[in-house]
Amino acid sequence: MINNIKGTPAYKGEDFVVIDNNGIGYKIFVSSMTLMNISKEETQIYTYMNVSENDISLYGFLTADELNLFYKLITVSGVGPKSAIGLLSVLTPAQIIFAIVSEDVKTIASGQGIGKKTAQRIILELRDKLSGDSGFSAEDALADAVSAGAVSSSEKGEAVEALVVLGFSRAEAAKAVSVVYTEGMSTEDAIKLGLRALS
């Protein structure tokens, strides 16, 4: 199994990059976000080799965290490498983790090839795993998602910011609001319920 490849990008396609390593060109499928962030200089790409009956493909990631999340996604029934890459093409790892922890089906379903039922399955199967021994910090991801503007609801975001002003850490505030928030809830109610959850 190829764990990582270090080399110079020789060609970029619509959904892949060719990395030249000692005269051998490796075609690696990547997310659109990864494709945008690959420089022209020597690059190290973490890889996952997918072997099927008719194909052997490499999928690549610029960070180990992105690769680890990819591994988690493809453990879910109905989510293959292409669907996982499709989700990572429209959302950052922090946004995906935030959506999973806050049970945001609509956001997860925005990935190509991921419908509502698959999104619900992703949330059901991964929510607890992301805060277990997988190396992820769900609280940190929530904080990163909020600070990066990844929160889809302005009311939710405002409630988090209000709790931060009241002295709670961004991670604590984001986690509390994500637990109590329901669609259509006002900022005031989200703050009150968030405070209750934190007390």
Side-chain angles (χ1 to χ4, degrees), residues 105-194:
V105 174
K106 185 177 179 181
T107 296
I108 296 296
S110 66
Q112 186 176 3
I114 297 178
K116 183 178 178 181
K117 287 185 178 179
T118 302
Q120 290 171 333
R121 198 179 302 120
I122 288 171
I123 291 167
L124 180 66
E125 294 187 23
L126 296 187
R127 182 172 180 181
D128 293 335
K129 290 181 181 179
L130 291 175
S131 56
D133 60 357
S134 61
F136 289 104
S137 170
E139 290 190 7
D140 289 345
L142 290 170
D144 291 344
V146 171
S147 63
V151 182
S152 58
S153 165
S154 60
E155 289 79 10
K156 190 189 291 187
E158 288 170 5
V160 171
E161 293 302 327
L163 292 175
V164 171
V165 170
L166 291 173
F168 296 98
S169 73
R170 193 172 295 278
E172 290 173 331
K175 186 176 183 181
V177 172
S178 73
V179 169
V180 303
Y181 187 84
T182 57
E183 191 171 348
M185 181 180 288
S186 69
T187 301
E188 185 179 351
D189 287 342
I191 294 170
K192 287 179 181 177
L193 292 174

Side-chain angles (χ1 to χ4, degrees), residues 19-26:
I19 298 293
D20 186 340
N21 176 278
N22 292 323
I24 300 174
Y26 293 89

